[in-house]
Amino acid sequence: MVNLMNSESKIIDMANKKKKVFDQCASMHFKLSDEYKRLSNIEDALEIAISVILCGVTFLDCEKYLQIPSEYSSLIIGFVSIFLLAFTLIKQNLGHKQLCEKHQIAGKMYAKSKLDLTAKIAEWSINPQSDIEMLSYLDDHYSTLNDLPQIPEKHFPRLKHAHQSKVEFSKFLDNHQNDFWLICRIKFRFGIDTPSKKE
C-alpha cells in the first residue's frame, strides 16, 4: 500500500513538474509573440510611411518647392522606390507577422494544457488511478505539443529569466497591493522590501 502511494505521488510530482514546464513554455511563447508583433508593426508603419512619402514626392514639384533639379528628384524617387521594394522583400522573408501568429498559437496551447493538467492533478489527488492510466494520459494528451514551434536556443536563457522574473514579481505584488505600480517595479528591481516567506 505504501509503495502504491509512493508511486502515485511520484507520478503526480512528475505531472506537477510538467505543468511548470507548460507554464514556462506558454510565457516564453507569448513573450516571443509580443516581440515579433512589435517588429511587424514597426515594419508595417515604416513601409506605409515610405509609400506615402514616395507618392507625395512623385506629384510634388521638387524644383519649385524644394529647389532640387528635376534630374536629381527623379534619381531620388528611383532610389527610394528601389529601397521600398527591397525593404518589402526583406520583410516578407523575415516573416515576423507569421512568427508572431505561430508563437501566439503555441502559447495558447501550452496555457490550455497547463489548465487541463492542473484539473487532472486535482482529480487524481481525490480519485487515485493506476500508474499506467496516469502515464498513458500524460503521453496521449500532450505528445502533440512537441510539434509546436520550438523556442530558439539563442533566446531561451533570456526568455527563461523573463518568466522567472514574472513569477517572482507576481508574488511580490501579492504583498504590495497598496503600492503604486511604478513603486513596485522599482522596489522589485532593486530588491527593496522583498516579500517575506510565509511560514
Side-chain angles (χ1 to χ4, degrees), residues 116-128:
D116 175 70
L117 188 53
T118 301
K120 209 65 185 173
I121 291 171
E123 180 186 324
W124 290 339
S125 300
I126 298 170
N127 300 312

Side-chain angles (χ1 to χ4, degrees), residues 12 54 113 117 130 156 163:
I12 289 178
L54 186 61
S113 297
L117 188 53
S130 69
F156 188 86
H163 169 72

Side-chain angles (χ1 to χ4, degrees), residues 144-159:
T144 55
L145 295 176
N146 296 326
D147 298 329
L148 293 174
Q150 300 298 307
I151 300 294
E153 283 294 327
K154 63 179 180 179
H155 295 310
F156 188 86
R158 174 178 63 85
L159 295 172

Side-chain angles (χ1 to χ4, degrees), residues 20-30 106-107 110 151 163:
K20 289 182 180 179
V21 171
F22 289 168
D23 184 38
Q24 177 176 288
C25 287
S27 181
M28 294 166 83
H29 278 292
F30 283 136
Y110 273 112
I151 300 294
H163 169 72

Side-chain angles (χ1 to χ4, degrees), residues 26-183:
S27 181
M28 294 166 83
H29 278 292
F30 283 136
K31 186 163 182 62
L32 260 186
S33 176
D34 289 343
E35 291 176 2
Y36 286 131
K37 182 177 178 62
R38 187 160 48 249
L39 287 172
S40 176
N41 288 339
I42 292 171
E43 290 168 351
D44 288 344
L46 188 57
E47 186 177 29
I48 291 170
I50 294 172
S51 299
V52 171
I53 291 171
L54 186 61
C55 289
V57 171
T58 301
F59 297 104
L60 182 69
D61 190 343
C62 295
E63 191 169 5
K64 179 179 179 181
Y65 295 103
L66 301 177
Q67 306 300 316
I68 299 175
S70 58
E71 58 270 18
Y72 288 122
S73 63
S74 299
L75 194 61
I76 292 171
I77 291 172
F79 277 123
V80 173
S81 300
I82 293 170
F83 173 80
L84 179 60
L85 176 61
F87 178 80
T88 302
L89 294 175
I90 292 171
K91 186 185 87 165
Q92 291 176 352
N93 187 52
L94 292 173
H96 288 143
K97 187 171 293 184
Q98 290 77 14
L99 287 171
C100 166
E101 293 171 356
K102 287 180 181 178
H103 285 288
Q104 181 72 12
I105 292 170
K108 287 180 179 179
M109 290 188 69
Y110 273 112
K112 183 179 181 299
S113 297
K114 176 200 164 188
L115 292 174
D116 175 70
L117 188 53
T118 301
K120 209 65 185 173
I121 291 171
E123 180 186 324
W124 290 339
S125 300
I126 298 170
N127 300 312
Q129 296 183 11
S130 69
D131 296 355
I132 295 175
E133 287 177 327
M134 288 191 287
L135 288 172
S136 177
Y137 182 88
L138 293 175
D139 290 338
D140 294 342
H141 284 74
Y142 306 117
S143 59
T144 55
L145 295 176
N146 296 326
D147 298 329
L148 293 174
Q150 300 298 307
I151 300 294
E153 283 294 327
K154 63 179 180 179
H155 295 310
F156 188 86
R158 174 178 63 85
L159 295 172
K160 182 176 181 179
H161 177 267
H163 169 72
Q164 292 174 337
S165 179
K166 183 189 78 171
V167 171
E168 291 303 316
F169 185 55
S170 179
K171 296 176 184 176
F172 183 87
L173 289 176
D174 289 339
N175 292 335
H176 296 80
Q177 299 175 6
N178 295 325
D179 289 347
F180 290 108
W181 167 257
L182 182 59
I183 299 298

